[in-house]
Amino acid sequence: MTSHHPRRSPTTQTSPPEPKMALFHPKILLFRPQNLVPPPKVLLLTQNRPFSPQNQPPGMVFSINVGFSDLPNREGKRPEEKTYALFLGDTVLVDEEGPATVLTSVKKKVKNVGIFLKNEDEEEEEEEKDEAEDLLGRSSRAALLTERTRVGGPPGVGCPPWWDVHLGGPPGVGCPPWRSTRGWRARKSNISYKNPALMPKEPHIREMKIYIDKKYETVIMPVFGIATPFHIATIKNISMSVEGDYTYLRINFYCPGSALGRNEGNIFPNPEATFVKEITYRASNMKTPGEQTVPALNLQNAFRIIKEVQKRYKTREAEEKEKEGIVKQDSLVINLNRSNPKLKDLYIRPNIAQKRMQGSLEAHVNGFRFTSVRGDKVDILYNNIKHAVFQPCDGEMIIVLHFHLKNAIMFGKKRHTDVQFYTEVGEITTDLGKHQHMHDRDDLYAEQMEREMRHKLKTAFKNFIEKVEALTKEELEFEVPFRELGFNGAPYRSTCLLQPTSSALVNCTEWPPFVVTLDEVELIHFERVQFHLKNFDMVIVYKDYSKKVTMINAIPVASLDPIKEWLNSCDLKYTEGVQSLNWTKIMKTIVDDPEGFFEQGGWSFLEPEGEGSDAEVGESESEMEDETFNPSEEDYEEEEEDSDEDYSSEAEESDYSKESLGSEEESGKDWDELEEEARK
């Protein structure tokens, strides 16, 4: 093929006209939004300079297109069919050596590469079809499908391959600016069978009955006479009802528009697909002659098995969700020495299994290991322990070693940040039916044994703690709560005894435990502090404003002053107020604009409104008291005269009262006179 320069003047044709041919210079066509400026590397290729493969760097991609017009078509019958135009194009990659590589190695058939332009009559027919589809509900379905364009689509979908490779962007990172991936939350795509050969060949499927494949967690249902598999994750809920002689099984599926929370249009990988919202099956409860079972038995079995498979699937999904965000811990270094610090016959909370099991806690090189009698193991590393609390059995029914962790650990299929090991001291439950006497020898002996047991357990736990602290070179220190500083409160549903330690406020005896690190606290506010109320509430605000505040309810008013003294000793600021505040809105306001919050006074709004005026009054009173009062002699004499007059008047009043009493007594009659009058 001979290359003609576009500026060359056309030659005079004496022969019949040949088809016109136009050869375009190679250039890159960048399909982009209007607001995107083409990158510099692309602009270089559009400069007006003669094209030569030698002056093009290797690795560049070109789209070469050739267009023909006025080509005769001998088979055409109508005038518009006697001539046609043809446009050919290929995409090539310039190599370092050898010819360019053709990238468009696709099928060459006309149906695969052809674009056919329709006439006006055909376009009118298409418009009529669209109107019919709108009447059938196409518009309502489209209303449910949000994010139909590539803007806001899933990450990595629709990004052109040249964006990061040819334009110098970081490989695999990001897309063009118009590709916004913010707020995308794709729903997990569950495929039942990767190929049709995996579908089971069960008689129920051939008989058009509902079949549940437990291995692949799939429900195979007959839809229009075709066995159709649905993964258990697509089923929202299922219900069964009996009405008359028929049993109905209704299956609801997840679909766009159903109540799924926020961003519900984004959670499906392919929201433009056709979704089934619900399917209802009906079967007779009447046994037909010749059959062994009732037709409705299949629906009943399907309902039961689907419930079981759905429960198992949701449990597994919950376990995977719990594992998300778990910080991987170092492996425990086992000390094979038998003289390791060890405590036996302990229970663990929370339980590993449904029933509580005893086990032993042993200290190794870099952590603890709890081994249950069943063989379950729980490892707690020293560097992951935030607070280690030893709760003695004084005044308690259990003795506890509590560990508050920095990062959660997994055991019992859940994640936990608080783990404790305890043993019971004495009887937690008392048999009220048993006859009890204050001087019963058995009871006295039991109390003596309990005191000895408490002392023995306390000694064993203290020895274990001392050995562990020596083993860790006091990097791990156990804190003991100060019981005399404790106060009652309800951080959760029930009231418990909250006790301060050297660095935290804890409650280890009740479950769930309560642990607040004092170094993380910025402010403590007392709510509902009024004279006529017996209780008040305490709100703990953390230095991390994004963290939810902690509330302790129903604290007795008698504990207010001791709590204030304890907070003063810990250098923690506290305020008090009469009303209960909406802390969710307050913390949201602070997080949105922390600088503006402190410019407006910060936490000063929690202080009493009349504090300034009270202070002024107090200052004026103190000034009045400081001024010495020196009365004159005349004032002193006047005061003495006034006092003498007061005393004389009081004496006269007392004499008058005595006289009046005497007259009343003289006018009265004794009992003998009254009895004589009664006889008459």
Side-chain angles (χ1 to χ4, degrees):
M1 181 175 63
T2 306
S3 175
H4 297 278
H5 199 276
R7 295 182 182 177
R8 181 178 177 181
S9 59
T11 57
T12 307
Q13 301 289 339
T14 56
S15 58
E18 296 180 358
K20 297 179 182 179
M21 182 183 71
L23 179 63
F24 299 97
H25 278 299
K27 61 177 68 176
I28 287 183
L29 301 177
L30 180 62
F31 296 96
R32 59 178 178 82
Q34 296 178 359
N35 59 353
L36 180 66
V37 179
K41 291 186 179 180
V42 177
L43 292 174
L44 278 175
L45 301 176
T46 60
Q47 295 178 357
N48 294 325
R49 60 179 179 177
F51 171 75
S52 174
Q54 285 77 19
N55 59 17
Q56 302 301 328
M60 301 305 292
V61 180
F62 297 95
S63 177
I64 302 176
N65 305 292
V66 181
F68 300 93
S69 62
D70 296 334
L71 295 176
N73 181 18
R74 298 177 183 177
E75 298 180 358
K77 297 179 180 180
R78 290 185 292 180
E80 61 269 15
E81 295 179 356
K82 291 183 179 181
T83 58
Y84 67 97
L86 184 63
F87 187 82
L88 303 177
D90 267 323
T91 304
V92 296
L93 172 66
V94 179
D95 296 332
E96 294 182 2
E97 298 178 359
T101 304
V102 179
L103 301 179
T104 52
S105 55
V106 296
K107 296 179 181 180
K108 303 297 184 181
K109 292 184 179 180
V110 178
K111 65 178 183 180
N112 296 324
V113 298
I115 300 175
F116 300 94
L117 301 178
K118 298 178 181 179
N119 297 330
E120 296 180 358
D121 299 338
E122 296 177 351
E123 291 179 358
E124 291 177 359
E125 293 178 0
E126 290 293 330
E127 291 179 358
E128 292 177 359
K129 290 182 180 179
D130 292 341
E131 292 177 0
E133 288 181 355
D134 291 339
L135 293 174
L136 293 174
R138 180 182 172 187
S139 58
S140 62
R141 174 176 171 268
L144 298 175
L145 302 177
T146 58
E147 305 295 333
R148 298 172 67 96
T149 60
R150 62 184 177 182
V151 178
V157 178
C159 298
W162 48 263
W163 182 260
D164 52 1
V165 178
H166 299 291
L167 301 186
V173 177
C175 289
W178 70 81
R179 295 275 312 140
S180 172
T181 60
R182 182 174 153 191
W184 178 265
R185 185 169 59 90
R187 186 179 178 85
K188 185 179 178 182
S189 178
N190 294 287
I191 300 174
S192 298
Y193 304 106
K194 294 184 178 180
N195 54 70
L198 296 175
M199 279 194 60
K201 307 293 190 296
E202 296 292 331
H204 283 72
I205 300 175
R206 292 194 298 269
E207 296 172 1
M208 290 296 134
K209 293 182 179 180
I210 299 177
Y211 177 77
I212 295 91
D213 189 357
K214 294 183 179 180
K215 181 180 179 181
Y216 291 96
E217 296 178 334
T218 299
V219 182
I220 301 175
M221 312 176 197
V223 179
F224 298 114
I226 300 173
T228 309
F230 291 89
H231 195 273
I232 198 70
T234 62
I235 297 177
K236 185 178 181 181
N237 52 46
I238 182 172
S239 61
M240 186 178 65
S241 61
V242 179
E243 297 180 8
D245 297 336
Y246 294 95
T247 298
Y248 293 86
L249 180 67
R250 180 179 178 181
I251 303 173
N252 295 323
F253 297 92
Y254 288 110
C255 64
S258 58
L260 296 173
R262 297 179 180 176
N263 299 329
E264 58 186 32
N266 290 341
I267 65 169
F268 294 92
N270 187 13
E272 294 192 3
T274 302
F275 290 85
V276 179
K277 187 175 182 181
E278 66 176 77
I279 295 179
T280 303
Y281 291 95
R282 186 184 76 169
S284 175
N285 296 329
M286 307 299 292
K287 185 176 179 181
T288 57
E291 292 188 1
Q292 297 180 355
T293 58
V294 179
L297 183 63
N298 175 249
L299 299 185
Q300 297 171 3
N301 293 335
F303 176 77
R304 177 178 53 83
I305 299 173
I306 289 173
K307 283 284 188 183
E308 294 175 1
V309 176
Q310 199 173 32
K311 182 179 179 181
R312 187 175 62 188
Y313 174 78
K314 288 182 178 179
T315 304
R316 191 176 72 250
E317 288 291 310
E319 292 176 10
E320 293 179 359
K321 189 176 180 181
E322 288 286 332
K323 292 179 182 178
E324 292 179 359
I326 290 291
V327 178
K328 187 177 180 181
Q329 304 292 327
D330 299 332
S331 57
L332 182 68
V333 180
I334 303 296
N335 189 358
L336 301 177
N337 191 358
R338 293 185 178 180
S339 61
N340 291 337
K342 190 174 184 179
L343 282 175
K344 297 181 180 180
D345 300 331
L346 297 179
Y347 296 102
I348 184 173
R349 281 201 296 200
N351 298 328
I352 300 176
Q354 293 182 353
K355 295 182 180 180
R356 65 174 190 170
M357 290 181 294
Q358 284 188 336
S360 60
L361 181 66
E362 190 172 1
H364 291 280
V365 177
N366 63 338
F368 296 101
R369 167 164 285 185
F370 176 79
T371 307
S372 67
V373 293
R374 198 177 67 175
D376 301 307
K377 296 179 181 178
V378 177
D379 296 337
I380 302 175
L381 302 183
Y382 299 143
N383 58 9
N384 193 32
I385 297 175
K386 193 173 185 179
H387 295 288
V389 182
F390 168 54
Q391 175 68 59
C393 53
D394 299 331
E396 303 289 348
M397 299 305 296
I398 58 175
I399 184 168
V400 181
L401 286 179
H402 184 90
F403 299 106
H404 183 67
L405 307 179
K406 299 175 184 176
N407 301 311
I409 60 174
M410 284 285 298
F411 67 89
K413 300 179 181 180
K414 291 184 179 180
R415 56 194 300 172
H416 306 284
T417 54
D418 289 281
V419 185
Q420 65 178 218
F421 307 95
Y422 70 98
T423 184
E424 297 174 355
V425 182
E427 296 181 0
I428 294 181
T429 59
T430 305
D431 186 7
L432 298 177
K434 185 175 67 174
H435 177 70
Q436 294 181 347
H437 193 270
M438 186 173 63
H439 300 290
D440 191 357
R441 292 184 178 180
D442 293 338
D443 290 346
L444 294 175
Y445 178 73
E447 291 178 4
Q448 180 65 25
M449 290 295 293
E450 184 177 332
R451 281 194 293 269
E452 293 178 0
M453 177 65 72
R454 286 176 180 270
H455 180 70
K456 187 177 179 181
L457 286 173
K458 193 188 299 184
T459 306
F461 273 73
K462 284 185 177 180
N463 292 336
F464 176 79
I465 291 171
E466 292 174 357
K467 290 180 181 179
V468 170
E469 291 179 347
L471 179 65
T472 59
K473 297 178 182 179
E474 295 188 355
E475 291 182 1
L476 178 66
E477 295 183 359
F478 284 83
E479 306 174 37
V480 180
F482 302 109
R483 192 175 182 85
E484 60 274 9
L485 297 178
F487 57 92
N488 291 313
Y492 302 112
R493 294 183 179 179
S494 59
T495 304
C496 57
L497 180 64
L498 302 171
Q499 305 175 64
T501 66
S502 57
S503 63
L505 178 65
V506 302
N507 169 51
C508 302
T509 54
E510 301 290 335
W511 195 262
F514 178 81
V515 180
V516 172
T517 306
L518 298 182
D519 291 338
E520 299 176 355
V521 176
E522 176 167 331
L523 173 74
I524 291 180
H525 180 68
F526 302 113
E527 294 182 341
R528 299 191 306 111
V529 180
Q530 299 182 25
F531 293 109
H532 63 278
L533 295 179
K534 296 181 179 179
N535 300 323
F536 67 95
D537 302 332
M538 186 167 77
V539 180
I540 301 174
V541 182
Y542 297 95
K543 295 177 181 178
D544 183 6
Y545 295 144
S546 60
K547 192 176 180 180
K548 188 179 179 181
V549 299
T550 301
M551 294 196 65
I552 303 174
N553 301 318
I555 304 175
V557 175
S559 303
L560 181 60
D561 292 336
I563 292 174
K564 289 182 179 179
E565 293 177 3
W566 165 63
L567 294 176
N568 287 330
S569 65
C570 298
D571 293 333
L572 287 175
K573 182 181 178 181
Y574 63 85
T575 56
E576 64 179 59
V578 178
Q579 298 178 346
S580 297
L581 304 176
N582 188 345
W583 285 97
T584 305
K585 290 186 177 180
I586 293 173
M587 299 310 295
K588 186 178 184 301
T589 305
I590 298 173
V591 171
D592 292 342
D593 186 15
E595 296 180 358
F597 171 73
F598 286 104
E599 287 176 359
Q600 296 175 3
W603 299 108
S604 59
F605 73 96
L606 295 175
E607 297 175 357
E609 295 179 358
E611 189 173 344
S613 61
D614 293 344
E616 293 176 0
V617 173
E619 290 176 1
S620 61
E621 289 178 355
S622 62
E623 291 176 359
M624 292 290 288
E625 291 174 359
D626 291 339
E627 294 179 358
T628 55
F629 179 69
N630 297 322
S632 61
E633 293 179 357
E634 296 177 358
D635 296 335
Y636 184 73
E637 290 176 357
E638 290 178 358
E639 288 180 359
E640 283 185 347
E641 291 176 359
D642 293 339
S643 62
D644 292 340
E645 291 176 358
D646 293 339
Y647 282 120
S648 61
S649 61
E650 289 177 0
E652 290 176 359
E653 289 177 359
S654 62
D655 294 340
Y656 175 76
S657 61
K658 287 179 181 178
E659 290 175 359
S660 60
L661 288 172
S663 61
E664 288 177 359
E665 289 176 356
E666 290 174 359
S667 61
K669 297 180 180 179
D670 57 2
W671 287 101
D672 295 336
E673 294 176 355
L674 293 173
E675 287 178 358
E676 289 179 0
E677 290 180 0
R679 288 171 189 165
K680 296 178 181 178

